[in-house]
């Protein structure tokens, strides 16, 4: 699951710690059986993940228990996870145009953290992704079970929730890829960003 101690420590380094209690309450609620009816099933998948590639068939079956995978593809624990969207192609178009070295990044509408992982590989210091879809958070947690990057977080929050709690905090770089057309008010979304 989310390592709340690591998240708090990372947030503390950035000056966001004064908003931690309000954020933690929302996150803990969403990542519970009260927050989503499928949470217990997804939690069982995460709890059953091996620490090594000991049984590829069982790992693949477990990861498929978190389907559908929208963003990707991923190679996790020796297993290739195809995705509905070829996020690697979109990343390839922008990768050379952004310098993320040492930057703190907010990824709004991050889905399962595919881009957050790429941003860290591109040198970002910390990446915090927000996406209200609990399944995507669980997918990220499954991937990060193998990647083990303590500086990437995918949180089950909407941009408005993040903004209402921590609107004074600033990131060095903010992404919101493939999200604008989902908004009732694109202008309001841009204003919050």
């Amino acid at each position: 699951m989310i390592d709340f101690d690591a998240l708090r420590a990372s947030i503390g380094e950035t000056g966001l710690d004064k908003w931690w209690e309000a954020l933690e309450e929302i996150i803990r609620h969403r990542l519970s059986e009260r927050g989503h009816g499928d949470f217990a099933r997804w939690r069982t998948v995460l709890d059953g993940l091996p620490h090594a590639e000991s049984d590829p068939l069982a790992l693949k079956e477990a990861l498929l228990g978190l389907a559908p995978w929208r963003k990707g593809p991923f190679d996790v624990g020796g297993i290739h996870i195809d995705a509905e969207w070829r996020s690697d192609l979109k990343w390839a178009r922008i990768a050379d145009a952004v310098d993320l070295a040492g930057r703190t990044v907010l990824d709004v509408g991050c889905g399962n953290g595919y881009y957050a992982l790429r941003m860290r590989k591109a040198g970002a210091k910390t990446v915090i992704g927000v996406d209200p879809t609990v399944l995507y958070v669980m997918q990220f947690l499954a991937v990060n079970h193998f990647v083990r990057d303590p500086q990437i977080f995918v949180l089950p929050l909407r941009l408005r929730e993040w903004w209402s709690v921590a609107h004074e905090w600033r990131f060095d770089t903010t992404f919101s890829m493939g999200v604008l057309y989902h908004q009732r008010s694109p202008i309001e979304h841009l204003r919050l960003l």
Side-chain angles (χ1 to χ4, degrees):
M1 292 302 299
I2 287 181
D3 182 342
F4 284 95
D5 293 333
L7 177 58
R8 183 175 194 149
S10 179
I11 283 175
E13 290 176 15
T14 63
L16 190 60
D17 52 334
K18 69 180 181 180
W19 297 289
W20 171 251
E21 288 182 22
L23 288 172
E24 183 179 21
E25 183 179 334
I26 296 168
I27 294 164
R28 285 191 186 273
H29 172 75
R30 292 259 166 75
L31 295 179
S32 71
E33 291 183 37
R34 294 171 295 138
H36 197 287
D38 287 326
F39 182 80
R41 179 173 59 86
W42 297 332
R43 176 71 188 255
T44 299
V45 169
L46 289 180
D47 290 345
L49 291 175
H51 288 288
E53 300 88 12
S54 56
D55 186 353
L57 189 56
L59 176 58
K60 183 173 185 173
E61 187 175 315
L63 293 171
L64 288 175
L66 298 173
W69 291 76
R70 301 266 193 254
K71 293 182 180 179
F74 289 97
D75 287 302
V76 177
I79 301 297
H80 179 77
I81 302 171
D82 205 359
E84 291 183 25
W85 304 323
R86 291 292 309 270
S87 303
D88 55 332
L89 298 177
K90 184 184 280 189
W91 181 256
R93 289 194 303 265
I94 68 164
D96 292 335
V98 294
D99 179 8
L100 298 176
R103 300 179 73 81
T104 57
V105 178
L106 175 66
D107 185 7
V108 176
C110 65
N112 58 21
Y114 177 84
Y115 295 120
L117 290 159
R118 300 300 292 261
M119 291 170 195
R120 275 285 287 158
K121 285 183 182 176
K125 177 183 174 188
T126 301
V127 181
I128 297 176
V130 295
D131 197 296
T133 307
V134 176
L135 173 59
Y136 299 160
V137 176
M138 302 303 270
Q139 289 173 349
F140 167 75
L141 293 171
V143 170
N144 205 35
H145 174 82
F146 296 97
V147 174
R148 298 191 182 280
D149 190 326
Q151 290 303 117
I152 304 174
F153 305 94
V154 172
L155 307 176
L157 300 168
R158 291 175 174 80
L159 175 59
R160 176 159 291 291
E161 291 168 324
W162 176 270
W163 187 88
S164 69
V165 172
H167 64 276
E168 296 172 16
W169 197 67
R170 302 293 184 259
F171 289 85
D172 297 319
T173 304
T174 300
F175 287 84
S176 185
M177 297 188 291
V179 175
L180 195 60
Y181 62 91
H182 291 292
Q183 304 304 308
R184 287 186 192 144
S185 175
I187 299 300
E188 177 66 8
H189 182 76
L190 291 172
R191 188 185 70 74
L192 291 175
L193 290 173

